[in-house]
């Protein structure tokens, strides 16, 4: 699930900047901006992954958990690997509107090093339900960064 952030830059082309619920509201007052943080997620049972804990070192994961490597900034965690999604010219505002209304959802693949790639972006909760109709799609096998060739837009 995403939360809204500034959507595009004239200098870099049209893209949507993505911020995630998993990085919000962390008690990071003791963290300086720019420090590494790992956010551990677990399936909520509704097709989304929710934060269960965070750490400043790569965590040992329990069955069914994944982690995202992020950076602290402004009292929250950002995830640079999946922080931007480039869109066709003219579509950035529509994606921005969807993000602000919390109808923009991101399908992410995470590897064993806690790095992620965006597999798809969909608008609306109904689209997400269709995307996850097959339970095997909720959490794909970990991505092997050396041998994979994911298609990232």
């Amino acid at each position: 699930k995403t939360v809204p952030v500034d959507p595009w830059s004239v200098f870099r082309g049209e893209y949507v900047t993505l911020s995630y619920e998993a990085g919000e509201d962390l008690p990071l007052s003791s963290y300086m901006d720019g420090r590494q943080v790992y956010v551990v997620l677990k399936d909520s049972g509704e097709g989304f992954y929710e934060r269960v804990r965070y750490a400043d070192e790569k965590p040992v994961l329990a069955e069914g958990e994944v982690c995202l490597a992020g950076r602290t900034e402004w009292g929250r965690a950002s995830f640079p690997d999946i922080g931007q999604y480039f869109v066709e010219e003219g579509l950035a505002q529509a994606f921005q509107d969807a993000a602000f209304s919390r109808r923009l959802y991101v399908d992410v693949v995470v590897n064993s090093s806690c790095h992620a790639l965006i597999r798809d972006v969909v608008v609306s909760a109904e689209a997400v339900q269709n995307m996850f109709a097959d339970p095997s799609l909720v959490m794909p096998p970990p991505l092997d960064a050396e041998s994979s060739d994911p298609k990232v837009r």
Side-chain angles (χ1 to χ4, degrees), residues 6-32:
D6 184 25
W8 59 283
S9 167
V10 175
F11 300 109
R12 296 183 67 188
E14 290 197 30
Y15 67 91
V16 178
T17 299
L18 303 170
S19 181
Y20 297 86
E21 285 182 7
E24 298 294 314
D25 301 322
L26 292 176
L28 297 175
S29 59
S30 62
Y31 282 79
M32 296 177 59

mmCIF file with all atom_site columns, all heavy atoms in Angstrom, residues 6-32:
data_model
loop_
_atom_site.group_PDB
_atom_site.id
_atom_site.type_symbol
_atom_site.label_atom_id
_atom_site.label_alt_id
_atom_site.label_comp_id
_atom_site.label_asym_id
_atom_site.label_entity_id
_atom_site.label_seq_id
_atom_site.pdbx_PDB_ins_code
_atom_site.Cartn_x
_atom_site.Cartn_y
_atom_site.Cartn_z
_atom_site.occupancy
_atom_site.B_iso_or_equiv
_atom_site.pdbx_formal_charge
_atom_site.auth_seq_id
_atom_site.auth_comp_id
_atom_site.auth_asym_id
_atom_site.auth_atom_id
_atom_site.pdbx_PDB_model_num
ATOM 1   N N   . ASP A 1 6  ? 5.485  13.783 -3.426  1.00 0.00 ? 6  ASP A N   1
ATOM 2   C CA  . ASP A 1 6  ? 5.654  14.571 -4.646  1.00 0.00 ? 6  ASP A CA  1
ATOM 3   C C   . ASP A 1 6  ? 5.786  13.659 -5.856  1.00 0.00 ? 6  ASP A C   1
ATOM 4   O O   . ASP A 1 6  ? 6.657  12.799 -5.902  1.00 0.00 ? 6  ASP A O   1
ATOM 5   C CB  . ASP A 1 6  ? 6.895  15.444 -4.503  1.00 0.00 ? 6  ASP A CB  1
ATOM 6   C CG  . ASP A 1 6  ? 7.099  16.369 -5.679  1.00 0.00 ? 6  ASP A CG  1
ATOM 7   O OD1 . ASP A 1 6  ? 6.105  16.697 -6.349  1.00 0.00 ? 6  ASP A OD1 1
ATOM 8   O OD2 . ASP A 1 6  ? 8.248  16.758 -5.924  1.00 0.00 ? 6  ASP A OD2 1
ATOM 9   N N   . PRO A 1 7  ? 4.927  13.813 -6.892  1.00 0.00 ? 7  PRO A N   1
ATOM 10  C CA  . PRO A 1 7  ? 4.802  12.799 -7.933  1.00 0.00 ? 7  PRO A CA  1
ATOM 11  C C   . PRO A 1 7  ? 5.771  12.813 -9.107  1.00 0.00 ? 7  PRO A C   1
ATOM 12  O O   . PRO A 1 7  ? 5.958  11.798 -9.730  1.00 0.00 ? 7  PRO A O   1
ATOM 13  C CB  . PRO A 1 7  ? 3.392  13.028 -8.461  1.00 0.00 ? 7  PRO A CB  1
ATOM 14  C CG  . PRO A 1 7  ? 3.192  14.485 -8.312  1.00 0.00 ? 7  PRO A CG  1
ATOM 15  C CD  . PRO A 1 7  ? 3.900  14.832 -7.018  1.00 0.00 ? 7  PRO A CD  1
ATOM 16  N N   . TRP A 1 8  ? 6.350  13.938 -9.493  1.00 0.00 ? 8  TRP A N   1
ATOM 17  C CA  . TRP A 1 8  ? 7.196  13.914 -10.682 1.00 0.00 ? 8  TRP A CA  1
ATOM 18  C C   . TRP A 1 8  ? 8.135  15.102 -10.736 1.00 0.00 ? 8  TRP A C   1
ATOM 19  O O   . TRP A 1 8  ? 7.958  16.074 -10.039 1.00 0.00 ? 8  TRP A O   1
ATOM 20  C CB  . TRP A 1 8  ? 6.363  13.818 -11.943 1.00 0.00 ? 8  TRP A CB  1
ATOM 21  C CG  . TRP A 1 8  ? 5.389  14.948 -12.137 1.00 0.00 ? 8  TRP A CG  1
ATOM 22  C CD1 . TRP A 1 8  ? 4.198  15.110 -11.497 1.00 0.00 ? 8  TRP A CD1 1
ATOM 23  C CD2 . TRP A 1 8  ? 5.533  16.059 -12.994 1.00 0.00 ? 8  TRP A CD2 1
ATOM 24  N NE1 . TRP A 1 8  ? 3.601  16.261 -11.919 1.00 0.00 ? 8  TRP A NE1 1
ATOM 25  C CE2 . TRP A 1 8  ? 4.391  16.864 -12.843 1.00 0.00 ? 8  TRP A CE2 1
ATOM 26  C CE3 . TRP A 1 8  ? 6.517  16.463 -13.891 1.00 0.00 ? 8  TRP A CE3 1
ATOM 27  C CZ2 . TRP A 1 8  ? 4.214  18.045 -13.544 1.00 0.00 ? 8  TRP A CZ2 1
ATOM 28  C CZ3 . TRP A 1 8  ? 6.333  17.637 -14.593 1.00 0.00 ? 8  TRP A CZ3 1
ATOM 29  C CH2 . TRP A 1 8  ? 5.196  18.409 -14.426 1.00 0.00 ? 8  TRP A CH2 1
ATOM 30  N N   . SER A 1 9  ? 9.132  14.977 -11.594 1.00 0.00 ? 9  SER A N   1
ATOM 31  C CA  . SER A 1 9  ? 10.132 16.022 -11.755 1.00 0.00 ? 9  SER A CA  1
ATOM 32  C C   . SER A 1 9  ? 10.306 16.326 -13.229 1.00 0.00 ? 9  SER A C   1
ATOM 33  O O   . SER A 1 9  ? 10.478 15.412 -14.045 1.00 0.00 ? 9  SER A O   1
ATOM 34  C CB  . SER A 1 9  ? 11.466 15.565 -11.175 1.00 0.00 ? 9  SER A CB  1
ATOM 35  O OG  . SER A 1 9  ? 12.494 16.435 -11.585 1.00 0.00 ? 9  SER A OG  1
ATOM 36  N N   . VAL A 1 10 ? 10.289 17.590 -13.570 1.00 0.00 ? 10 VAL A N   1
ATOM 37  C CA  . VAL A 1 10 ? 10.481 18.011 -14.954 1.00 0.00 ? 10 VAL A CA  1
ATOM 38  C C   . VAL A 1 10 ? 11.849 17.574 -15.454 1.00 0.00 ? 10 VAL A C   1
ATOM 39  O O   . VAL A 1 10 ? 12.012 17.218 -16.615 1.00 0.00 ? 10 VAL A O   1
ATOM 40  C CB  . VAL A 1 10 ? 10.316 19.544 -15.074 1.00 0.00 ? 10 VAL A CB  1
ATOM 41  C CG1 . VAL A 1 10 ? 10.635 20.022 -16.473 1.00 0.00 ? 10 VAL A CG1 1
ATOM 42  C CG2 . VAL A 1 10 ? 8.925  19.965 -14.658 1.00 0.00 ? 10 VAL A CG2 1
ATOM 43  N N   . PHE A 1 11 ? 12.837 17.563 -14.578 1.00 0.00 ? 11 PHE A N   1
ATOM 44  C CA  . PHE A 1 11 ? 14.203 17.241 -14.982 1.00 0.00 ? 11 PHE A CA  1
ATOM 45  C C   . PHE A 1 11 ? 14.438 15.760 -15.247 1.00 0.00 ? 11 PHE A C   1
ATOM 46  O O   . PHE A 1 11 ? 15.348 15.397 -15.968 1.00 0.00 ? 11 PHE A O   1
ATOM 47  C CB  . PHE A 1 11 ? 15.196 17.721 -13.916 1.00 0.00 ? 11 PHE A CB  1
ATOM 48  C CG  . PHE A 1 11 ? 15.120 19.196 -13.692 1.00 0.00 ? 11 PHE A CG  1
ATOM 49  C CD1 . PHE A 1 11 ? 14.595 19.692 -12.517 1.00 0.00 ? 11 PHE A CD1 1
ATOM 50  C CD2 . PHE A 1 11 ? 15.547 20.095 -14.663 1.00 0.00 ? 11 PHE A CD2 1
ATOM 51  C CE1 . PHE A 1 11 ? 14.505 21.056 -12.306 1.00 0.00 ? 11 PHE A CE1 1
ATOM 52  C CE2 . PHE A 1 11 ? 15.459 21.445 -14.468 1.00 0.00 ? 11 PHE A CE2 1
ATOM 53  C CZ  . PHE A 1 11 ? 14.931 21.939 -13.278 1.00 0.00 ? 11 PHE A CZ  1
ATOM 54  N N   . ARG A 1 12 ? 13.651 14.886 -14.666 1.00 0.00 ? 12 ARG A N   1
ATOM 55  C CA  . ARG A 1 12 ? 13.879 13.451 -14.798 1.00 0.00 ? 12 ARG A CA  1
ATOM 56  C C   . ARG A 1 12 ? 12.807 12.752 -15.609 1.00 0.00 ? 12 ARG A C   1
ATOM 57  O O   . ARG A 1 12 ? 12.819 11.539 -15.716 1.00 0.00 ? 12 ARG A O   1
ATOM 58  C CB  . ARG A 1 12 ? 13.972 12.825 -13.405 1.00 0.00 ? 12 ARG A CB  1
ATOM 59  C CG  . ARG A 1 12 ? 15.172 13.376 -12.649 1.00 0.00 ? 12 ARG A CG  1
ATOM 60  C CD  . ARG A 1 12 ? 15.325 12.734 -11.332 1.00 0.00 ? 12 ARG A CD  1
ATOM 61  N NE  . ARG A 1 12 ? 15.674 11.344 -11.494 1.00 0.00 ? 12 ARG A NE  1
ATOM 62  C CZ  . ARG A 1 12 ? 15.736 10.476 -10.515 1.00 0.00 ? 12 ARG A CZ  1
ATOM 63  N NH1 . ARG A 1 12 ? 15.454 10.871 -9.290  1.00 0.00 ? 12 ARG A NH1 1
ATOM 64  N NH2 . ARG A 1 12 ? 16.046 9.230  -10.732 1.00 0.00 ? 12 ARG A NH2 1
ATOM 65  N N   . GLY A 1 13 ? 11.858 13.461 -16.138 1.00 0.00 ? 13 GLY A N   1
ATOM 66  C CA  . GLY A 1 13 ? 10.776 12.838 -16.880 1.00 0.00 ? 13 GLY A CA  1
ATOM 67  C C   . GLY A 1 13 ? 9.593  12.578 -15.978 1.00 0.00 ? 13 GLY A C   1
ATOM 68  O O   . GLY A 1 13 ? 9.585  12.952 -14.809 1.00 0.00 ? 13 GLY A O   1
ATOM 69  N N   . GLU A 1 14 ? 8.614  11.932 -16.537 1.00 0.00 ? 14 GLU A N   1
ATOM 70  C CA  . GLU A 1 14 ? 7.393  11.683 -15.768 1.00 0.00 ? 14 GLU A CA  1
ATOM 71  C C   . GLU A 1 14 ? 7.502  10.381 -14.994 1.00 0.00 ? 14 GLU A C   1
ATOM 72  O O   . GLU A 1 14 ? 7.716  9.328  -15.569 1.00 0.00 ? 14 GLU A O   1
ATOM 73  C CB  . GLU A 1 14 ? 6.181  11.650 -16.696 1.00 0.00 ? 14 GLU A CB  1
ATOM 74  C CG  . GLU A 1 14 ? 5.872  13.022 -17.251 1.00 0.00 ? 14 GLU A CG  1
ATOM 75  C CD  . GLU A 1 14 ? 4.485  13.125 -17.823 1.00 0.00 ? 14 GLU A CD  1
ATOM 76  O OE1 . GLU A 1 14 ? 3.567  12.434 -17.349 1.00 0.00 ? 14 GLU A OE1 1
ATOM 77  O OE2 . GLU A 1 14 ? 4.326  13.900 -18.762 1.00 0.00 ? 14 GLU A OE2 1
ATOM 78  N N   . TYR A 1 15 ? 7.395  10.514 -13.711 1.00 0.00 ? 15 TYR A N   1
ATOM 79  C CA  . TYR A 1 15 ? 7.401  9.348  -12.837 1.00 0.00 ? 15 TYR A CA  1
ATOM 80  C C   . TYR A 1 15 ? 6.602  9.665  -11.595 1.00 0.00 ? 15 TYR A C   1
ATOM 81  O O   . TYR A 1 15 ? 6.312  10.815 -11.293 1.00 0.00 ? 15 TYR A O   1
ATOM 82  C CB  . TYR A 1 15 ? 8.821  8.907  -12.476 1.00 0.00 ? 15 TYR A CB  1
ATOM 83  C CG  . TYR A 1 15 ? 9.593  9.871  -11.618 1.00 0.00 ? 15 TYR A CG  1
ATOM 84  C CD1 . TYR A 1 15 ? 9.560  9.784  -10.230 1.00 0.00 ? 15 TYR A CD1 1
ATOM 85  C CD2 . TYR A 1 15 ? 10.380 10.867 -12.195 1.00 0.00 ? 15 TYR A CD2 1
ATOM 86  C CE1 . TYR A 1 15 ? 10.277 10.646 -9.441  1.00 0.00 ? 15 TYR A CE1 1
ATOM 87  C CE2 . TYR A 1 15 ? 11.099 11.745 -11.414 1.00 0.00 ? 15 TYR A CE2 1
ATOM 88  C CZ  . TYR A 1 15 ? 11.049 11.636 -10.040 1.00 0.00 ? 15 TYR A CZ  1
ATOM 89  O OH  . TYR A 1 15 ? 11.761 12.501 -9.256  1.00 0.00 ? 15 TYR A OH  1
ATOM 90  N N   . VAL A 1 16 ? 6.252  8.644  -10.901 1.00 0.00 ? 16 VAL A N   1
ATOM 91  C CA  . VAL A 1 16 ? 5.549  8.782  -9.629  1.00 0.00 ? 16 VAL A CA  1
ATOM 92  C C   . VAL A 1 16 ? 6.544  8.427  -8.535  1.00 0.00 ? 16 VAL A C   1
ATOM 93  O O   . VAL A 1 16 ? 7.244  7.417  -8.630  1.00 0.00 ? 16 VAL A O   1
ATOM 94  C CB  . VAL A 1 16 ? 4.329  7.833  -9.570  1.00 0.00 ? 16 VAL A CB  1
ATOM 95  C CG1 . VAL A 1 16 ? 3.634  7.945  -8.237  1.00 0.00 ? 16 VAL A CG1 1
ATOM 96  C CG2 . VAL A 1 16 ? 3.374  8.120  -10.717 1.00 0.00 ? 16 VAL A CG2 1
ATOM 97  N N   . THR A 1 17 ? 6.635  9.276  -7.525  1.00 0.00 ? 17 THR A N   1
ATOM 98  C CA  . THR A 1 17 ? 7.463  8.968  -6.361  1.00 0.00 ? 17 THR A CA  1
ATOM 99  C C   . THR A 1 17 ? 6.588  8.223  -5.369  1.00 0.00 ? 17 THR A C   1
ATOM 100 O O   . THR A 1 17 ? 5.507  8.694  -5.022  1.00 0.00 ? 17 THR A O   1
ATOM 101 C CB  . THR A 1 17 ? 8.024  10.249 -5.726  1.00 0.00 ? 17 THR A CB  1
ATOM 102 O OG1 . THR A 1 17 ? 8.843  10.909 -6.682  1.00 0.00 ? 17 THR A OG1 1
ATOM 103 C CG2 . THR A 1 17 ? 8.848  9.928  -4.487  1.00 0.00 ? 17 THR A CG2 1
ATOM 104 N N   . LEU A 1 18 ? 7.055  7.068  -4.952  1.00 0.00 ? 18 LEU A N   1
ATOM 105 C CA  . LEU A 1 18 ? 6.255  6.203  -4.089  1.00 0.00 ? 18 LEU A CA  1
ATOM 106 C C   . LEU A 1 18 ? 6.807  6.175  -2.670  1.00 0.00 ? 18 LEU A C   1
ATOM 107 O O   . LEU A 1 18 ? 8.014  6.057  -2.465  1.00 0.00 ? 18 LEU A O   1
ATOM 108 C CB  . LEU A 1 18 ? 6.237  4.779  -4.650  1.00 0.00 ? 18 LEU A CB  1
ATOM 109 C CG  . LEU A 1 18 ? 5.720  4.650  -6.078  1.00 0.00 ? 18 LEU A CG  1
ATOM 110 C CD1 . LEU A 1 18 ? 5.976  3.244  -6.598  1.00 0.00 ? 18 LEU A CD1 1
ATOM 111 C CD2 . LEU A 1 18 ? 4.240  4.988  -6.144  1.00 0.00 ? 18 LEU A CD2 1
ATOM 112 N N   . SER A 1 19 ? 5.915  6.267  -1.733  1.00 0.00 ? 19 SER A N   1
ATOM 113 C CA  . SER A 1 19 ? 6.227  6.097  -0.330  1.00 0.00 ? 19 SER A CA  1
ATOM 114 C C   . SER A 1 19 ? 5.275  5.019  0.183   1.00 0.00 ? 19 SER A C   1
ATOM 115 O O   . SER A 1 19 ? 4.150  4.914  -0.304  1.00 0.00 ? 19 SER A O   1
ATOM 116 C CB  . SER A 1 19 ? 6.011  7.410  0.423   1.00 0.00 ? 19 SER A CB  1
ATOM 117 O OG  . SER A 1 19 ? 6.330  7.273  1.774   1.00 0.00 ? 19 SER A OG  1
ATOM 118 N N   . TYR A 1 20 ? 5.725  4.227  1.130   1.00 0.00 ? 20 TYR A N   1
ATOM 119 C CA  . TYR A 1 20 ? 4.965  3.056  1.536   1.00 0.00 ? 20 TYR A CA  1
ATOM 120 C C   . TYR A 1 20 ? 4.554  3.120  2.999   1.00 0.00 ? 20 TYR A C   1
ATOM 121 O O   . TYR A 1 20 ? 5.312  3.585  3.853   1.00 0.00 ? 20 TYR A O   1
ATOM 122 C CB  . TYR A 1 20 ? 5.790  1.789  1.283   1.00 0.00 ? 20 TYR A CB  1
ATOM 123 C CG  . TYR A 1 20 ? 6.091  1.608  -0.181  1.00 0.00 ? 20 TYR A CG  1
ATOM 124 C CD1 . TYR A 1 20 ? 7.194  2.204  -0.769  1.00 0.00 ? 20 TYR A CD1 1
ATOM 125 C CD2 . TYR A 1 20 ? 5.240  0.865  -0.987  1.00 0.00 ? 20 TYR A CD2 1
ATOM 126 C CE1 . TYR A 1 20 ? 7.453  2.060  -2.125  1.00 0.00 ? 20 TYR A CE1 1
ATOM 127 C CE2 . TYR A 1 20 ? 5.490  0.718  -2.341  1.00 0.00 ? 20 TYR A CE2 1
ATOM 128 C CZ  . TYR A 1 20 ? 6.604  1.316  -2.904  1.00 0.00 ? 20 TYR A CZ  1
ATOM 129 O OH  . TYR A 1 20 ? 6.845  1.180  -4.238  1.00 0.00 ? 20 TYR A OH  1
ATOM 130 N N   . GLU A 1 21 ? 3.373  2.603  3.306   1.00 0.00 ? 21 GLU A N   1
ATOM 131 C CA  . GLU A 1 21 ? 2.881  2.545  4.682   1.00 0.00 ? 21 GLU A CA  1
ATOM 132 C C   . GLU A 1 21 ? 3.885  1.859  5.603   1.00 0.00 ? 21 GLU A C   1
ATOM 133 O O   . GLU A 1 21 ? 4.012  2.225  6.765   1.00 0.00 ? 21 GLU A O   1
ATOM 134 C CB  . GLU A 1 21 ? 1.544  1.804  4.754   1.00 0.00 ? 21 GLU A CB  1
ATOM 135 C CG  . GLU A 1 21 ? 0.376  2.592  4.262   1.00 0.00 ? 21 GLU A CG  1
ATOM 136 C CD  . GLU A 1 21 ? -0.940 1.839  4.395   1.00 0.00 ? 21 GLU A CD  1
ATOM 137 O OE1 . GLU A 1 21 ? -0.968 0.741  4.995   1.00 0.00 ? 21 GLU A OE1 1
ATOM 138 O OE2 . GLU A 1 21 ? -1.946 2.350  3.899   1.00 0.00 ? 21 GLU A OE2 1
ATOM 139 N N   . ALA A 1 22 ? 4.587  0.866  5.090   1.00 0.00 ? 22 ALA A N   1
ATOM 140 C CA  . ALA A 1 22 ? 5.545  0.116  5.909   1.00 0.00 ? 22 ALA A CA  1
ATOM 141 C C   . ALA A 1 22 ? 6.650  1.008  6.470   1.00 0.00 ? 22 ALA A C   1
ATOM 142 O O   . ALA A 1 22 ? 7.251  0.690  7.494   1.00 0.00 ? 22 ALA A O   1
ATOM 143 C CB  . ALA A 1 22 ? 6.161  -1.021 5.103   1.00 0.00 ? 22 ALA A CB  1
ATOM 144 N N   . GLY A 1 23 ? 6.918  2.125  5.815   1.00 0.00 ? 23 GLY A N   1
ATOM 145 C CA  . GLY A 1 23 ? 7.967  3.030  6.278   1.00 0.00 ? 23 GLY A CA  1
ATOM 146 C C   . GLY A 1 23 ? 7.464  4.177  7.135   1.00 0.00 ? 23 GLY A C   1
ATOM 147 O O   . GLY A 1 23 ? 8.262  4.948  7.673   1.00 0.00 ? 23 GLY A O   1
ATOM 148 N N   . GLU A 1 24 ? 6.161  4.301  7.279   1.00 0.00 ? 24 GLU A N   1
ATOM 149 C CA  . GLU A 1 24 ? 5.578  5.411  8.031   1.00 0.00 ? 24 GLU A CA  1
ATOM 150 C C   . GLU A 1 24 ? 5.536  5.113  9.528   1.00 0.00 ? 24 GLU A C   1
ATOM 151 O O   . GLU A 1 24 ? 5.495  3.961  9.943   1.00 0.00 ? 24 GLU A O   1
ATOM 152 C CB  . GLU A 1 24 ? 4.153  5.675  7.536   1.00 0.00 ? 24 GLU A CB  1
ATOM 153 C CG  . GLU A 1 24 ? 4.081  6.080  6.077   1.00 0.00 ? 24 GLU A CG  1
ATOM 154 C CD  . GLU A 1 24 ? 4.728  7.412  5.783   1.00 0.00 ? 24 GLU A CD  1
ATOM 155 O OE1 . GLU A 1 24 ? 4.487  8.382  6.529   1.00 0.00 ? 24 GLU A OE1 1
ATOM 156 O OE2 . GLU A 1 24 ? 5.483  7.487  4.800   1.00 0.00 ? 24 GLU A OE2 1
ATOM 157 N N   . ASP A 1 25 ? 5.523  6.176  10.307  1.00 0.00 ? 25 ASP A N   1
ATOM 158 C CA  . ASP A 1 25 ? 5.295  6.105  11.758  1.00 0.00 ? 25 ASP A CA  1
ATOM 159 C C   . ASP A 1 25 ? 6.256  5.186  12.504  1.00 0.00 ? 25 ASP A C   1
ATOM 160 O O   . ASP A 1 25 ? 5.868  4.524  13.458  1.00 0.00 ? 25 ASP A O   1
ATOM 161 C CB  . ASP A 1 25 ? 3.847  5.678  12.053  1.00 0.00 ? 25 ASP A CB  1
ATOM 162 C CG  . ASP A 1 25 ? 2.836  6.636  11.447  1.00 0.00 ? 25 ASP A CG  1
ATOM 163 O OD1 . ASP A 1 25 ? 3.101  7.849  11.466  1.00 0.00 ? 25 ASP A OD1 1
ATOM 164 O OD2 . ASP A 1 25 ? 1.800  6.161  10.954  1.00 0.00 ? 25 ASP A OD2 1
ATOM 165 N N   . LEU A 1 26 ? 7.506  5.134  12.072  1.00 0.00 ? 26 LEU A N   1
ATOM 166 C CA  . LEU A 1 26 ? 8.513  4.389  12.831  1.00 0.00 ? 26 LEU A CA  1
ATOM 167 C C   . LEU A 1 26 ? 9.106  5.316  13.881  1.00 0.00 ? 26 LEU A C   1
ATOM 168 O O   . LEU A 1 26 ? 9.351  6.483  13.602  1.00 0.00 ? 26 LEU A O   1
ATOM 169 C CB  . LEU A 1 26 ? 9.633  3.886  11.910  1.00 0.00 ? 26 LEU A CB  1
ATOM 170 C CG  . LEU A 1 26 ? 9.265  2.819  10.897  1.00 0.00 ? 26 LEU A CG  1
ATOM 171 C CD1 . LEU A 1 26 ? 10.457 2.518  10.008  1.00 0.00 ? 26 LEU A CD1 1
ATOM 172 C CD2 . LEU A 1 26 ? 8.804  1.557  11.581  1.00 0.00 ? 26 LEU A CD2 1
ATOM 173 N N   . PRO A 1 27 ? 9.352  4.833  15.079  1.00 0.00 ? 27 PRO A N   1
ATOM 174 C CA  . PRO A 1 27 ? 9.973  5.687  16.106  1.00 0.00 ? 27 PRO A CA  1
ATOM 175 C C   . PRO A 1 27 ? 11.468 5.834  15.816  1.00 0.00 ? 27 PRO A C   1
ATOM 176 O O   . PRO A 1 27 ? 12.305 5.193  16.445  1.00 0.00 ? 27 PRO A O   1
ATOM 177 C CB  . PRO A 1 27 ? 9.704  4.922  17.402  1.00 0.00 ? 27 PRO A CB  1
ATOM 178 C CG  . PRO A 1 27 ? 9.579  3.500  16.975  1.00 0.00 ? 27 PRO A CG  1
ATOM 179 C CD  . PRO A 1 27 ? 9.001  3.522  15.594  1.00 0.00 ? 27 PRO A CD  1
ATOM 180 N N   . LEU A 1 28 ? 11.784 6.667  14.843  1.00 0.00 ? 28 LEU A N   1
ATOM 181 C CA  . LEU A 1 28 ? 13.161 6.785  14.371  1.00 0.00 ? 28 LEU A CA  1
ATOM 182 C C   . LEU A 1 28 ? 13.882 8.009  14.916  1.00 0.00 ? 28 LEU A C   1
ATOM 183 O O   . LEU A 1 28 ? 14.865 8.446  14.347  1.00 0.00 ? 28 LEU A O   1
ATOM 184 C CB  . LEU A 1 28 ? 13.177 6.849  12.832  1.00 0.00 ? 28 LEU A CB  1
ATOM 185 C CG  . LEU A 1 28 ? 12.657 5.609  12.115  1.00 0.00 ? 28 LEU A CG  1
ATOM 186 C CD1 . LEU A 1 28 ? 12.606 5.859  10.608  1.00 0.00 ? 28 LEU A CD1 1
ATOM 187 C CD2 . LEU A 1 28 ? 13.536 4.415  12.408  1.00 0.00 ? 28 LEU A CD2 1
ATOM 188 N N   . SER A 1 29 ? 13.437 8.572  16.015  1.00 0.00 ? 29 SER A N   1
ATOM 189 C CA  . SER A 1 29 ? 14.058 9.793  16.529  1.00 0.00 ? 29 SER A CA  1
ATOM 190 C C   . SER A 1 29 ? 15.537 9.590  16.850  1.00 0.00 ? 29 SER A C   1
ATOM 191 O O   . SER A 1 29 ? 16.324 10.523 16.783  1.00 0.00 ? 29 SER A O   1
ATOM 192 C CB  . SER A 1 29 ? 13.311 10.294 17.767  1.00 0.00 ? 29 SER A CB  1
ATOM 193 O OG  . SER A 1 29 ? 13.317 9.321  18.771  1.00 0.00 ? 29 SER A OG  1
ATOM 194 N N   . SER A 1 30 ? 15.937 8.361  17.160  1.00 0.00 ? 30 SER A N   1
ATOM 195 C CA  . SER A 1 30 ? 17.345 8.102  17.459  1.00 0.00 ? 30 SER A CA  1
ATOM 196 C C   . SER A 1 30 ? 18.159 7.846  16.190  1.00 0.00 ? 30 SER A C   1
ATOM 197 O O   . SER A 1 30 ? 19.361 7.732  16.241  1.00 0.00 ? 30 SER A O   1
ATOM 198 C CB  . SER A 1 30 ? 17.468 6.901  18.406  1.00 0.00 ? 30 SER A CB  1
ATOM 199 O OG  . SER A 1 30 ? 16.947 5.743  17.789  1.00 0.00 ? 30 SER A OG  1
ATOM 200 N N   . TYR A 1 31 ? 17.482 7.758  15.055  1.00 0.00 ? 31 TYR A N   1
ATOM 201 C CA  . TYR A 1 31 ? 18.171 7.533  13.788  1.00 0.00 ? 31 TYR A CA  1
ATOM 202 C C   . TYR A 1 31 ? 18.461 8.860  13.104  1.00 0.00 ? 31 TYR A C   1
ATOM 203 O O   . TYR A 1 31 ? 17.614 9.737  13.050  1.00 0.00 ? 31 TYR A O   1
ATOM 204 C CB  . TYR A 1 31 ? 17.295 6.709  12.836  1.00 0.00 ? 31 TYR A CB  1
ATOM 205 C CG  . TYR A 1 31 ? 17.261 5.243  13.119  1.00 0.00 ? 31 TYR A CG  1
ATOM 206 C CD1 . TYR A 1 31 ? 16.474 4.719  14.129  1.00 0.00 ? 31 TYR A CD1 1
ATOM 207 C CD2 . TYR A 1 31 ? 17.995 4.366  12.331  1.00 0.00 ? 31 TYR A CD2 1
ATOM 208 C CE1 . TYR A 1 31 ? 16.428 3.367  14.372  1.00 0.00 ? 31 TYR A CE1 1
ATOM 209 C CE2 . TYR A 1 31 ? 17.959 3.004  12.562  1.00 0.00 ? 31 TYR A CE2 1
ATOM 210 C CZ  . TYR A 1 31 ? 17.166 2.512  13.585  1.00 0.00 ? 31 TYR A CZ  1
ATOM 211 O OH  . TYR A 1 31 ? 17.127 1.182  13.813  1.00 0.00 ? 31 TYR A OH  1
ATOM 212 N N   . MET A 1 32 ? 19.641 8.991  12.578  1.00 0.00 ? 32 MET A N   1
ATOM 213 C CA  . MET A 1 32 ? 19.961 10.160 11.767  1.00 0.00 ? 32 MET A CA  1
ATOM 214 C C   . MET A 1 32 ? 19.482 9.895  10.347  1.00 0.00 ? 32 MET A C   1
ATOM 215 O O   . MET A 1 32 ? 19.450 8.753  9.900   1.00 0.00 ? 32 MET A O   1
ATOM 216 C CB  . MET A 1 32 ? 21.470 10.405 11.788  1.00 0.00 ? 32 MET A CB  1
ATOM 217 C CG  . MET A 1 32 ? 22.010 10.758 13.161  1.00 0.00 ? 32 MET A CG  1
ATOM 218 S SD  . MET A 1 32 ? 23.794 10.961 13.169  1.00 0.00 ? 32 MET A SD  1
ATOM 219 C CE  . MET A 1 32 ? 24.013 12.259 11.988  1.00 0.00 ? 32 MET A CE  1
#
